[in-house]
Amino acid sequence: MGKISLQDGVHLALPEDFLHRRNLKAGAEFWVDESENGIVLYPRRPDVRKLYIEPTTQCNLHCLTCVRNVWDDPWAAMKMETFERIAGQVGDLPQLHEVVFAGFGEPLSHPHIFEMIAAMKKHDYTVTLASNGTLLTEKRIRRLIELGVTRLVVSLDGARPETFESIRDVSLLKVLRNLELFNKIKEETGTRYPTLEIEFVAMKSNLKDLPAMPKLMADLHASRLIVTNVLAYTEELRDEALYGYEPQPPLLPPDKTSWPVSDEDWMFWCTVDLPRMHWSAERRCKFIQDRATVVGWDGGVVPCYALSHNYAYYALDGRRKNVTRYVLGNVNKQTLAEIWMSEEYTQFRSEVSAFHFPSCPDCDLRETCDLREENEGCWGWNPSCADCLWAQDIIKCP
């Protein structure tokens, strides 16, 4: 028999073959819970693989599609003391291999963003930077290359100047010139990295630009296009949404029954990642699957982007839904490993992995359920992921 250490010095005796089947060593720690089927063991492992860091909630743009237009959260940058605590803690996460600098702000607006990237590259992590592309000066581009950034993800929500500018209130030509300079410097230095990826937030008003994206992607030497639906923070954006309860693919022109671009259009240029367009019984959380966690600008550790801030949006049925930020710990008070292996976070990941939540859009009581106006459910874990659009793959992120 082997012994598994629990809280408060309690030990649980288990057969040796139990340990060997799960590739665990005697002395491994578990959280223990009871269910209707018996005792449940939740392994405590520091097995984070992907770390999202939000350097700032500040941005130089005021895009039509941004949640920052409607939230009451602070516009602030991460303090270097907070980041240094993160950098000093990643060594306790032996499986960590990817760091993404992104969030609801422009990372390049942080005055110490390159110091942050350099600290993570010391561990030889794959590093991704998400940007709106407007701050890509020659000096910054060369620094990204020197530091060995792996991926640069730039938001382009239109292929035509008038479409892009109506969404982002900045010149499309300015961004394209920055990306041309980016490619020129890469060619001069003889490097393939960072690779360029484009994110396109699809709406009714810009869907007509999507057929032009293959040529634009080819001109920019981009390797991947991420198409995501808009998350409707306002009534105006609710009317722009392309998705719904039933399979209703975007129709452009009217005789089409799928996205207005075919796989063949992308075959020689890049890969394309398209979102789901309707509610489905299949629900999976990319953050849980990737063993990812998110550290916000203030050091707060949250499980995903959907629960990373306080905001409101319009759900699939058009009902306004208030989301409360779900903070599981703070790196200024605990280590990332301690937070990740805490009882609450460990059990939360188990619940989301099994997606032990109600299916609110299919519920007969959905018209009268007040819980749907908050991120709560009538059963299961709260905050609830019951009608999360990220878990439906309707909303995507890098």
Side-chain angles (χ1 to χ4, degrees):
M1 301 289 284
K3 288 186 178 180
I4 303 298
S5 301
L6 306 178
Q7 264 189 311
D8 303 322
V10 178
H11 298 281
L12 179 66
L14 292 171
E16 290 291 345
D17 63 343
F18 175 91
L19 302 176
H20 293 313
R21 283 199 305 271
R22 288 154 179 78
N23 194 29
L24 301 174
K25 297 179 180 179
E29 294 184 343
F30 287 73
W31 293 112
V32 179
D33 196 10
E34 291 186 67
S35 73
E36 58 185 16
N37 297 318
I39 293 177
V40 181
L41 301 178
Y42 300 103
R44 298 182 69 247
R45 299 193 186 101
D47 54 354
V48 180
R49 292 183 178 176
K50 189 172 184 178
L51 174 62
Y52 289 84
I53 298 176
E54 182 179 55
T56 181
T57 59
Q58 297 171 330
C59 187
N60 60 315
L61 300 183
H62 296 278
C63 302
L64 177 68
T65 55
C66 186
V67 66
R68 294 164 63 258
N69 296 322
V70 297
W71 76 16
D72 293 322
D73 285 8
W75 289 19
M78 179 178 284
K79 295 179 180 178
M80 283 306 289
E81 293 87 348
T82 298
F83 176 78
E84 287 164 3
R85 288 187 65 85
I86 298 171
Q89 296 169 11
V90 293
D92 297 331
L93 306 173
Q95 296 186 33
L96 181 62
H97 65 86
E98 182 175 3
V99 177
V100 180
F101 289 97
F104 293 97
E106 171 53 50
L108 286 176
S109 69
H110 195 289
H112 301 289
I113 184 62
F114 296 113
E115 294 174 45
M116 294 177 170
I117 294 173
M120 291 301 162
K121 287 305 295 183
K122 287 181 180 178
H123 297 273
D124 201 29
Y125 296 143
T126 294
V127 171
T128 296
L129 178 76
S131 173
N132 60 38
T134 60
L135 301 180
L136 287 171
T137 62
E138 179 177 354
K139 182 178 179 179
R140 290 183 175 127
I141 292 169
R142 291 190 183 279
R143 192 74 179 116
L144 291 175
I145 293 173
E146 290 169 2
L147 290 172
V149 171
T150 312
R151 296 192 307 157
L152 175 66
V153 183
V154 175
S155 299
L156 284 180
D157 300 328
R160 299 178 305 161
E162 58 270 28
T163 304
F164 183 84
E165 290 163 21
S166 68
I167 297 170
R168 296 196 166 260
D169 196 27
V170 69
S171 167
L172 174 62
L173 184 59
K174 174 182 176 64
V175 178
L176 294 181
R177 283 177 174 169
N178 289 348
L179 294 179
E180 289 172 2
L181 178 61
F182 170 77
N183 285 320
K184 179 181 179 182
I185 295 174
K186 278 177 60 178
E187 184 177 358
E188 288 177 358
T189 55
T191 181
R192 294 171 51 198
Y193 297 102
T195 59
L196 176 62
E197 300 182 7
I198 300 298
E199 185 172 21
F200 184 99
V201 179
M203 303 179 288
K204 291 177 182 176
S205 59
N206 70 352
L207 190 62
K208 57 185 176 294
D209 284 33
L210 194 55
M213 289 303 290
K215 183 179 185 306
L216 181 58
M217 297 287 288
D219 292 342
L220 294 174
H221 306 292
S223 61
R224 180 180 177 222
L225 176 72
I226 306 166
V227 180
T228 179
N229 282 293
V230 66
L231 187 61
Y233 305 116
T234 64
E235 290 188 17
E236 180 182 10
L237 290 178
R238 180 181 59 182
D239 295 336
E240 286 274 7
L242 296 163
Y243 51 88
Y245 277 120
E246 301 298 330
Q248 295 176 337
L251 307 178
L252 184 70
D255 61 331
K256 295 285 185 180
T257 58
S258 62
W259 284 96
V261 60
S262 67
D263 293 341
E264 289 77 11
D265 291 329
W266 306 92
M267 188 175 298
F268 299 106
W269 310 118
C270 68
T271 59
V272 59
D273 193 356
L274 296 173
R276 185 186 289 165
M277 298 305 296
H278 63 281
W279 186 262
S280 169
E282 182 183 11
R283 298 178 290 176
R284 293 194 305 267
C285 177
K286 183 177 184 294
F287 289 89
I288 298 299
Q289 284 187 322
D290 291 349
R291 296 186 192 168
T293 193
V294 182
V295 182
W297 66 273
D298 59 350
V301 177
V302 296
C304 60
Y305 277 162
L307 297 172
S308 65
H309 285 280
N310 301 293
Y311 61 95
Y313 75 99
Y314 289 91
L316 278 172
D317 61 356
R319 179 177 297 191
R320 190 169 175 82
K321 186 181 185 73
N322 295 302
V323 175
T324 302
R325 189 186 189 203
Y326 185 32
V327 181
L328 290 146
N330 193 296
V331 296
N332 292 304
K333 299 178 180 179
Q334 300 167 273
T335 68
L336 270 170
E338 289 171 344
I339 297 168
W340 177 263
M341 295 190 297
S342 67
E343 183 174 15
E344 182 178 2
Y345 203 169
T346 301
Q347 292 189 14
F348 172 78
R349 291 197 302 274
S350 178
E351 293 290 303
V352 178
S353 182
F355 229 88
H356 193 231
F357 300 102
S359 182
C360 294
D362 303 324
C363 179
D364 293 337
L365 302 176
R366 63 182 179 271
E367 299 299 330
T368 58
C369 180
D370 293 337
L371 292 174
R372 296 197 64 202
E373 296 177 2
E374 310 293 332
N375 53 324
E376 296 183 8
C378 56
W379 59 267
W381 195 276
N382 278 311
S384 178
C385 304
D387 56 0
C388 176
L389 296 180
W390 275 268
Q392 283 288 322
D393 209 31
I394 288 173
I395 305 296
K396 306 178 80 71
C397 57

